[in-house]
Amino acid sequence: MKTKLPHGPLEWRLLLAWLREDGWIGADDAERVTRRFGAGPSSLHALVRLGGAGLAKKGSGQPLDTEALTEWLAGRAKLPYLRIDPLRADVGRVTDVMSVAYAELRCALPVMVGSAEITIATYEPFDTGWVAEIESHTRRGVKLVVANPLDVRRYTTEFYTLAKSVRAAQKSGETSTTASFEQLVELGKANKQLDANDQGVVQVVDWLWQYAFDQRASDIHLEPRRDMGVIRFRIDGVLHTVYQVPLTVMNAMTSRIKLLGRMDVVERRRPLDGRIKTRRPDGTEVEMRLSTLPTAFGEKMVMRIFDPGNAVKTLEQLGFGAHEAKGWNGLIARPHGIVLVTGPTGSGKTTTLYSTLKALATDEVNVCTIEDPIEMIEPAFNQTQVNSTIDMGFAEGLRALMRQDPDIIMVGEIRDLATAEMAIQAALTGHLVFSTLHTNDSVSAITRLADLGVPPYLIAATVVGVLAQRLARTLCPACKVRDEGVTRETIDEIVKPWRLSGGVRPYKPVGCLECRHTGYRGRAGLYELLLLNDAARDAVHPALDMAALRRQAMKDGMRPLRLAGAMKVAEGLTTLEEVLRSTPSLER
């Protein structure tokens, strides 16, 4: 005979009995937990308490943590199970359904508000006497879902704190909605300080940063629109809308961030740059590069997040295969020459260079960089910032670095002939020079230098290698499944005339909370390494024959970007669609 359903809060003894009835645990486990817990009271919820008891499912050995027990309870209660995704919650609307005191009392949290129905997460699925009150109050139906009590409590605090901060900031800014920011500054300094340092604004900005760190965001966008301000995060190369705030609040948030970044708070008519260093909740430092841009509806701000832990990686962590890693290690061991890294913006060039320089920066060598801007402060390097206001460009900075007795030099980007000539001069005088170019593949870097005006004989004499790279999203390991529709023949078709060897185990994305329902989590590098040996240099000088250079590079073992991506597909790390999207065609 099955245990009767309760009509109030859950009790751990009842859950233990249900687990035995369903065959999830044995009598020995139930007896052990009963002896351990005893008769004393506990402030922990029954699911959390049992989740920490070290139980495992009978037969499979699956750990019965709080999440697994919550999913089991949802099935027992015949209700949907939900892992709360804060990126999908409209915080402003869900917090209007009930007060924070009511939510805490009823162990419930609204997570979605529709025109006719409200979805409410709870961890007390049998204590439902309050549902009729909410339906009467909102004139909408209530759909109950079961969620982890730890998540419900966490997001109840976060959602209501954020909503309270936004309302407080909006209230303090209501008096200024009819005046422009410049007019407020003229009216008095107090108004400016109220906008930037109001407690509600401070809390919203702090929440924004910590939330971005939790979600693995690489960029934070504050975008003013006609009626509202939109906050978006870039996660794994894709933008996600996170929250909408009133324009007065967004203006105050932008002013607060500019103030912390030592930027001109009053100036809103021209683009500005800044930098902020802050900390994660665990104490690790994080740097953010700030950029503002005037738009039709106000000042747009983008914060690029640089995590020191992600800026310096091993070649394996970057996604180098054994073939490319061997070639790259041989290349950077050269005593002199120019090594170029190419690819579009956001393809990971800076991370590759920083990781390489970090490995080369021993006590025996002097590593100097000239950057615009300095992406990440690294104590192992001597870093110099380009400053156009005092005519300190890449060429001038590189000229100055030559007098600093360097062994290894990194130039942020070769943009013009003057910088290219200085880099060549440094290479000819015995220095190893690293730099970047924006080209589609490795061979095109040679053409780009020629277009800048560098003679072919100097290119052949100084450039020792070019690394082209892209970033491709990797499949979420929690939800990916085998893709029977992709075969070896399918992959070989897109990489002709190459053919893959070894096993082929393609997977496809599904989507879960871990990957924000995209099917992808994280990114890996795809690399194409061109090594300029004597035969390849013959194609550069004197004829500058790019077709011959490409053919010779292929003979020497260069693998195109698309082939590198196809190998990642065969390993089950990414998808064919992602490779086709992120790499150039093999057709020339």
Side-chain angles (χ1 to χ4, degrees):
M1 182 176 178
K2 289 200 170 184
T3 309
K4 291 183 180 180
L5 298 179
H7 296 286
L10 292 168
E11 204 268 339
W12 65 267
R13 289 183 181 84
L14 178 63
L15 292 184
L16 209 59
W18 285 352
L19 286 168
R20 281 200 61 191
E21 286 179 6
D22 292 351
W24 280 51
I25 62 173
D28 293 343
D29 286 332
E31 187 177 342
R32 175 179 61 83
V33 172
T34 302
R35 285 198 309 268
R36 175 181 170 183
F37 288 172
S42 174
S43 60
L44 296 176
H45 186 265
L47 285 169
V48 179
R49 199 174 188 195
L50 285 179
L55 292 170
K57 188 176 180 181
K58 191 176 178 180
S60 69
Q62 172 196 354
L64 295 180
D65 56 13
T66 303
E67 197 68 50
L69 290 173
T70 303
E71 189 171 2
W72 160 78
L73 179 64
R76 252 267 178 179
K78 295 182 172 55
L79 290 174
Y81 159 76
L82 175 74
R83 283 194 66 186
I84 300 173
D85 183 357
L87 285 180
R88 294 192 165 208
D90 186 338
V91 177
R93 296 190 68 190
V94 300
T95 53
D96 284 337
V97 173
M98 60 179 71
S99 68
V100 62
Y102 192 92
E104 291 172 345
L105 176 66
R106 301 304 185 186
C107 306
L109 175 65
V111 291
M112 187 177 299
V113 180
S115 58
E117 185 179 67
I118 301 171
T119 302
I120 299 180
T122 181
Y123 50 89
E124 292 289 357
F126 305 106
D127 185 11
T128 57
W130 52 271
V131 171
E133 296 177 1
I134 296 299
E135 289 181 333
S136 175
H137 173 67
T138 61
R139 297 186 179 182
R140 291 183 176 94
V142 169
K143 176 185 176 183
L144 283 182
V145 294
V146 181
N148 189 324
L150 298 175
D151 286 347
V152 173
R153 290 170 178 173
R154 172 192 172 186
Y155 292 121
T156 297
T157 301
E158 288 191 8
F159 287 1
Y160 282 93
T161 300
L162 173 62
K164 181 180 178 181
S165 299
V166 170
R167 292 187 186 107
Q170 185 178 12
K171 186 176 180 181
S172 66
E174 282 176 353
T175 58
S176 62
T177 55
T178 58
S180 68
F181 188 85
E182 290 81 0
Q183 289 171 328
L184 281 177
V185 173
E186 296 300 325
L187 288 174
K189 192 175 181 180
N191 279 341
K192 180 181 75 174
Q193 295 299 325
L194 177 65
D195 278 342
N197 293 328
D198 178 78
Q199 190 60 34
V201 176
V202 172
Q203 290 176 349
V204 173
V205 171
D206 288 344
W207 168 85
L208 177 68
W209 288 343
Q210 298 308 322
Y211 190 37
F213 301 154
D214 288 343
Q215 301 301 318
R216 304 180 296 104
S218 60
D219 301 85
I220 305 172
H221 291 239
L222 303 184
E223 303 177 354
R225 305 287 172 83
R226 183 182 297 276
D227 301 316
M228 295 288 288
V230 177
I231 300 173
R232 298 201 288 173
F233 291 168
R234 187 177 294 279
I235 303 172
D236 295 335
V238 178
L239 282 170
H240 300 263
T241 299
V242 177
Y243 196 53
Q244 291 186 340
V245 298
L247 281 175
T248 52
V249 176
M250 177 157 286
N251 291 337
M253 291 172 66
T254 302
S255 299
R256 168 72 181 170
I257 296 167
K258 288 173 67 176
L259 200 63
L260 295 174
R262 298 181 178 86
M263 301 162 71
D264 188 345
V265 181
V266 179
E267 180 58 73
R268 301 180 66 194
R269 298 164 297 177
R270 61 185 178 88
L272 299 173
D273 293 312
R275 186 183 296 272
I276 288 178
K277 180 178 287 189
T278 184
R279 290 185 181 274
R280 292 178 180 271
D282 60 7
T284 57
E285 283 191 350
V286 178
E287 289 190 18
M288 290 185 287
R289 196 177 76 200
L290 314 178
S291 174
T292 65
L293 183 72
T295 69
F297 301 112
E299 196 171 23
K300 179 181 184 292
M301 171 169 280
V302 175
M303 291 164 271
R304 173 156 288 186
I305 301 171
F306 293 99
D307 188 339
N310 293 330
V312 179
K313 299 180 179 180
T314 64
L315 295 184
E316 185 179 357
Q317 290 172 329
L318 290 172
F320 275 81
H323 179 78
E324 284 74 20
K326 180 181 178 181
W328 183 249
N329 283 326
L331 194 61
I332 64 178
R334 298 284 191 97
H336 55 80
I338 296 177
V339 178
L340 297 173
V341 180
T342 75
T345 301
S347 60
K349 300 187 298 295
T350 300
T351 301
T352 299
L353 285 174
Y354 270 63
S355 300
T356 300
L357 292 178
K358 180 70 172 179
L360 296 175
T362 63
D363 291 339
E364 291 78 23
V365 297
N366 177 21
V367 179
C368 300
T369 73
I370 176 76
E371 305 173 59
D372 181 26
I374 295 175
E375 303 277 12
M376 180 73 67
I377 302 297
E378 175 52 60
F381 314 155
N382 300 292
Q383 296 172 282
T384 303
Q385 168 77 51
V386 164
N387 190 341
S388 58
T389 60
I390 57 172
D391 294 328
M392 173 67 169
F394 281 119
E396 293 78 12
L398 189 50
R399 186 177 292 109
L401 286 184
M402 291 286 289
R403 306 187 191 104
Q404 293 289 311
D405 187 31
D407 296 293
I408 299 171
I409 298 172
M410 194 269 277
V411 183
E413 183 183 351
I414 295 178
R415 299 175 178 172
D416 50 40
L417 179 59
T419 306
E421 288 176 340
M422 286 305 304
I424 287 170
Q425 186 65 32
L428 290 173
T429 52
H431 302 91
L432 184 61
V433 181
F434 292 89
S435 190
T436 67
L437 284 174
H438 288 92
T439 62
N440 287 330
D441 58 18
S442 56
V443 176
S444 299
I446 306 301
T447 309
R448 174 66 177 149
L449 289 176
D451 290 342
L452 289 175
V454 180
Y457 76 91
L458 286 179
I459 298 175
T462 56
V463 177
V464 294
V466 183
L467 180 73
Q469 68 177 80
R470 296 290 191 280
L471 287 178
R473 291 183 295 170
T474 52
L475 286 163
C476 174
C479 64
K480 68 178 183 180
V481 297
R482 284 295 300 272
D483 189 353
E484 303 298 338
V486 176
T487 63
R488 180 186 297 275
E489 290 71 24
T490 308
I491 299 176
D492 286 344
E493 183 65 28
I494 70 163
V495 295
K496 283 182 178 179
W498 284 268
R499 294 177 64 85
L500 295 184
S501 60
V504 174
R505 289 179 60 85
Y507 284 78
K508 62 183 177 181
V510 176
C512 64
L513 186 62
E514 295 293 332
C515 58
R516 306 300 167 207
H517 304 283
T518 63
Y520 298 92
R521 182 178 173 87
R523 291 188 289 178
L526 306 178
Y527 301 96
E528 173 184 294
L529 182 59
L530 166 66
L531 300 175
L532 269 79
N533 55 22
D534 291 339
R537 289 191 181 94
D538 290 341
V540 176
H541 175 67
L544 200 63
D545 187 342
M546 291 299 97
L549 176 59
R550 185 173 283 109
R551 287 193 299 270
Q552 184 60 47
M554 300 300 183
K555 290 180 183 178
D556 295 335
M558 184 183 80
R559 295 174 175 174
L561 285 166
R562 184 152 291 184
L563 179 60
M567 294 172 69
K568 291 283 194 295
V569 174
E571 295 171 16
L573 297 177
T574 188
T575 63
L576 211 55
E577 293 77 11
E578 182 68 10
V579 170
L580 293 173
R581 181 191 67 83
S582 58
T583 60
S585 170
L586 291 178
E587 297 178 2
R588 293 288 186 264

